[in-house]
Amino acid sequence: MLTDTHAHLFWESFEKDFDEMIQRTIEAGVTTIINVGTDLDSSRQALLQVQNELANFPKLTTYSSIGIHPHDAIKFIDEPEKQITDAVNKLENIYHLDPKKVVAVGECGLDFIFVSNPDFIPASIKAKAIKNSKLDIEKIKDLQKMLLKAQVDLAKKLNLPLLIHTREAWDEIFDLVTDHYGLFHCYSGDVATTQKVLRTNFLISFAATISYPKNESLRQIAKNLPLDRFVLETDCPFLPPQSKRGTRNEPNTVLEIGGLIAELKGTSLKEVACATSHNAKKLFKLT
Ligand SMILES: [Zn+2]
């Protein structure tokens, strides 16, 4: 039994061979998937898939999440308070369509990669964020924080865990989320950050980035992390394992991530699969 705590099965690239892809997932021993929304549309779509196409596979149990990715924060630049409140109310409406299947708020978070690489902001909306011919970095950071805070409040209100995306924003993220609970998706923190995470009610979620040659320090962190503090994810169709770089990722590669972590810890795949599935079950209150 393996659990993929973070997949985007509504992605266009899965359309053409969806059933075969899910079949491969089941054959790899995956029993549970969280289908993660990244904006209003995909949060709706993720739930619809869980209720429809994915319900055709009795060996697989799937759930969805409701969230707006920090990259989208800039879309709320005109009237942030009103637009963010509106959007988060709409997320809540999606939850009420099927509270048994919507099990988390996210992915949401902070992503400050645009500071060093402004290409992460779509050209179509970048113009709005230009002040005195310079990208208004503080304004975008504030928008991301507002958007995250509204979603943390929603998670508290609905008593749901948070799926947190964070990049180049570790200092800021702790202040905003750690009085609640959830997981840090596609974990990339260093040793000091990991010590801080261990003092919160958050789990660490390892993706296949742990198989990339440059991530030796991440492998060391996994090796030393107690079995009850982490879960596994693929973030598919993104981030395939090293053995499949350059191809579309699928939920079945969670098997490879589990295998690598078992090897690092000198334990069996079965033990890692059971522990991480159990951790996910507890975090998402799956029945
Ligand atoms: Zn993702």
Side-chain angles (χ1 to χ4, degrees), residues 6 36-38 43 65-68 104-108 151 161-164:
H6 195 114
V36 174
T38 58
S43 297
S65 77
I66 43 169
I68 304 174
V105 173
E107 65 182 280
C108 53
Q151 293 180 88
L162 285 161
L163 305 176
I164 296 296

Side-chain angles (χ1 to χ4, degrees), residues 78-276:
D78 292 331
E79 279 182 279
E81 247 154 82
K82 184 182 173 303
Q83 287 175 292
I84 289 174
T85 307
D86 257 23
V88 172
N89 284 341
K90 285 179 183 150
L91 285 182
E92 185 175 355
N93 292 340
I94 300 170
Y95 166 80
H96 288 298
L97 293 173
D98 199 342
K100 283 204 173 73
K101 282 294 180 187
V102 180
V103 295
V105 173
E107 65 182 280
C108 53
L110 299 175
D111 192 327
F112 295 166
I113 186 81
F114 72 91
V115 177
S116 56
N117 191 347
D119 291 340
F120 275 85
I121 298 173
S124 56
I125 44 180
K126 200 188 286 180
K128 286 185 176 176
I130 304 277
K131 199 177 156 194
N132 306 328
S133 76
K134 266 177 68 186
L135 196 63
D136 196 341
I137 288 171
E138 288 313 312
K139 172 105 191 167
I140 302 173
K141 284 185 173 179
D142 283 346
L143 280 171
Q144 287 197 11
K145 287 179 191 169
M146 275 179 77
L147 179 61
L148 172 59
K149 190 163 181 316
Q151 293 180 88
V152 173
D153 289 343
L154 180 65
K156 287 176 180 169
K157 181 178 174 187
L158 302 176
N159 190 19
L160 292 178
L162 285 161
L163 305 176
I164 296 296
H165 167 107
T166 190
R167 188 156 48 167
E168 298 185 13
W170 279 107
D171 288 340
E172 292 85 350
I173 204 84
F174 273 96
D175 292 343
L176 286 166
V177 306
T178 52
D179 64 341
H180 197 55
Y181 62 96
L183 62 76
F184 288 112
H185 130 74
C186 190
Y187 192 67
S188 63
D190 59 14
V191 174
T193 304
T194 306
Q195 289 308 321
K196 279 173 83 179
V197 174
L198 288 172
R199 291 194 287 272
T200 70
N201 291 318
F202 275 72
L203 298 179
I204 281 169
S205 183
F206 288 116
T209 45
I210 197 167
S211 68
Y212 298 175
K214 62 170 185 174
N215 285 338
E216 184 51 35
S217 61
L218 201 55
R219 286 188 282 280
Q220 286 306 311
I221 286 168
K223 186 180 168 187
N224 296 314
L225 204 62
L227 272 173
D228 62 347
R229 293 309 304 253
F230 66 93
V231 292
L232 308 177
E233 65 163 88
T234 60
D235 201 16
C236 67
F238 313 107
L239 302 176
Q242 185 61 25
S243 64
K244 300 185 178 72
R245 286 297 280 273
T247 66
R248 180 190 72 181
N249 196 14
E250 300 183 4
N252 64 40
T253 63
V254 77
L255 176 65
E256 205 171 320
I257 304 166
L260 172 63
I261 293 179
E263 204 176 295
L264 289 167
K265 299 185 89 61
T267 180
S268 66
L269 171 63
K270 193 177 167 196
E271 191 172 9
V272 170
C274 281
T276 51

Side-chain angles (χ1 to χ4, degrees), residues 16-65:
K16 57 180 191 307
D17 60 344
F18 190 81
D19 285 8
E20 290 90 325
M21 181 269 292
I22 294 296
Q23 207 49 55
R24 281 193 287 277
T25 296
I26 293 168
E27 278 156 25
V30 179
T31 53
T32 311
I33 301 177
I34 314 288
N35 198 14
V36 174
T38 58
D39 59 16
L40 281 176
D41 280 343
S42 64
S43 297
R44 270 187 214 105
Q45 241 179 308
L47 173 60
L48 278 173
Q49 266 190 322
V50 163
Q51 293 172 319
N52 298 293
E53 294 107 288
L54 289 163
N56 296 329
F57 298 90
K59 287 186 178 157
L60 185 68
T61 312
T62 57
Y63 303 88
S64 72
S65 77

